Amino acid sequence: MKRLLLASTLITLPLAAQAAGELNLYVWSDSIAPELIAKFETETGIKVNVDGYNSNEDLLTKLQAGASGYDVVTPSQHFLKIMVDEGLLEDIDAHSLAAYQAVDVKWRSQWWDPTNEFSIPVAYGTAGFTVNRDQYTGPVDSWAVYFEPSAELQGKIASLSYPDEVIGAAQLYLGVPFCSEDSAEMKKVLDLLMAQKPFVAAYTSDNIENRIGGGEVAAHFWWDGNSMKTRMNDGAKIEFAMPKEGLVGWLDSFAVPKGAPNVDNAKAFIDFMSKVENATVQYNYYGHSAPVAIDTATAKYTPENAPELFPTVPVEFSRTCSPAAQDLVTKVWTQLLQ
């Protein structure tokens, strides 16, 4: 009771009363609205430094190396679980933060943070594939279009540089369970990807919007909101597929690395980002679904203008796999890229 009373007292104080200093963010590249960074700095006097990464693997490697100097990171759910298990994150008593009250109940007490000690969700969405309609005019209702492409897509497909969601999508298409420890089942995944390889122009996670939006490739593995923003903001003639086999789901959360130098500032930032008005600005900027409360009256994206964010097919979220299952994923990807 005493802790709860203290928390409720703290959240009534204006952010300007927080101690100044620095805050070092290591987040998905271009994921935080710049105007919110500026607003937080103005309100608190805290200087914010932002570095970006393009894969969960990069983030995990950085934290495993130790002494990162970062105060806030945004791992996806299955990598957050790995980081908790490996002792790489601070227990920030997340359920006692003001931000926790803004979290949709369906995202509380999930398997990646069952006691709500380590994280506050910031965004969620799906991974699938996008087609350029100037390059490809066929159907996009199945992963078959991407994984078993027609001759017209020879050399006109691009994938990501990491296996995480690509392997999951192949498993959805083949009916292979996520985190399978069956080598025969994972051989099916490898065979599918090897057969697709002659059609793949690049395995890269960079510059996707220009590659698919400009028509350099006809199909690209990508994320829902990124595809949506390129279509809406850049006028690209692209479409995010809704394959009947389903999409791979992800949820990114704010977390604090073990040994972070500015934990109090990190908590202040997490609370700040989860306020309704700020969460709405973030939603409108980032273009991925919000797991915290937003102002729907000023929300930019709706089912009518942004169908990418409102999937009509099943969504299966990536899971934290056993070492045996993860080893099979690594072997599949390594053999694919040899």
Side-chain angles (χ1 to χ4, degrees):
M1 181 64 70
K2 184 176 180 181
R3 183 178 66 184
L4 293 177
L5 179 61
L6 176 61
S8 65
T9 302
L10 286 174
I11 63 175
T12 63
L13 296 175
L15 277 173
Q18 299 284 343
E22 287 195 328
L23 180 69
N24 302 305
L25 307 183
Y26 190 46
V27 295
W28 288 95
S29 295
D30 303 316
S31 64
I32 306 297
E35 66 183 280
L36 291 179
I37 297 294
K39 181 181 179 182
F40 179 76
E41 290 182 324
T42 299
E43 291 188 2
T44 65
I46 296 169
K47 169 62 177 170
V48 180
N49 306 301
V50 185
D51 286 340
Y53 59 85
N54 293 314
S55 75
N56 281 297
E57 289 84 354
D58 287 346
L59 170 59
L60 179 60
T61 298
K62 178 81 73 172
L63 296 190
Q64 287 173 332
S68 69
Y70 293 114
D71 302 304
V72 175
V73 293
T74 53
S76 300
Q77 74 285 347
H78 48 319
F79 276 77
L80 189 145
K81 180 65 165 63
I82 293 172
M83 293 169 189
V84 170
D85 291 346
E86 293 189 7
L88 299 175
L89 300 178
E90 290 281 351
D91 180 343
I92 58 171
D93 205 19
H95 58 78
S96 70
L97 298 179
Y100 182 73
Q101 301 306 315
V103 177
D104 190 314
V105 293
K106 72 181 179 182
W107 300 118
R108 299 180 184 181
S109 304
Q110 285 283 355
W111 56 267
W112 51 85
D113 189 5
T115 57
N116 304 295
E117 301 286 351
F118 296 93
S119 63
I120 295 291
V122 59
Y124 71 94
T126 60
F129 70 96
T130 294
V131 297
N132 183 299
R133 282 308 193 182
D134 287 330
Q135 301 291 326
Y136 174 77
T137 59
V140 290
D141 60 349
S142 172
W143 278 107
V145 174
Y146 184 79
F147 285 122
E148 298 189 279
S150 59
E152 67 179 300
L153 293 176
Q154 183 82 36
K156 299 289 286 182
I157 286 177
S159 187
L160 299 181
S161 54
Y162 292 92
D164 190 8
E165 292 152 331
V166 179
I167 296 283
Q171 289 172 313
L172 286 178
Y173 177 52
L174 295 172
V176 173
F178 282 9
C179 294
S180 174
E181 296 182 4
D182 187 329
S183 58
E185 288 185 323
M186 293 306 291
K187 177 64 163 55
K188 295 177 184 177
V189 173
L190 176 61
D191 289 345
L192 179 71
L193 295 177
M194 289 298 293
Q196 181 205 34
K197 188 174 182 178
F199 291 80
V200 179
Y203 293 91
T204 176
S205 300
D206 299 324
N207 200 34
I208 297 175
E209 60 274 12
N210 291 325
R211 191 175 301 109
I212 184 67
E216 180 183 330
V217 296
H220 210 307
F221 201 101
W222 212 9
W223 299 283
D224 54 350
N226 303 70
S227 183
M228 179 267 298
K229 287 186 293 183
T230 301
R231 175 182 60 81
M232 292 182 68
N233 299 341
D234 300 342
K237 195 175 178 183
I238 60 176
E239 180 179 351
F240 187 71
M242 291 289 169
K244 60 187 177 184
E245 300 88 0
L247 295 164
V248 180
W250 56 267
L251 181 139
D252 296 337
S253 295
F254 290 123
V256 178
K258 196 74 170 179
N262 304 292
V263 174
D264 288 342
N265 289 350
K267 291 180 180 180
F269 180 76
I270 294 169
D271 280 342
F272 169 86
M273 290 294 294
S274 302
K275 287 186 173 182
V276 170
E277 62 270 29
N278 297 332
T280 306
V281 171
Q282 174 63 14
Y283 172 76
N284 289 342
Y285 170 80
Y286 196 29
H288 292 293
S289 298
V292 296
I294 61 173
D295 179 7
T296 56
T298 57
K300 182 177 179 180
Y301 305 114
T302 67
E304 291 72 31
N305 68 12
E308 295 92 339
L309 304 188
F310 302 88
T312 56
V313 297
V315 176
E316 184 162 350
F317 281 72
S318 298
R319 300 192 65 85
T320 305
C321 299
S322 68
Q326 188 57 49
D327 184 56
L328 287 175
V329 169
T330 301
K331 286 180 177 177
V332 166
W333 200 251
T334 300
Q335 291 183 52
L336 175 67
L337 298 187
Q338 283 180 345

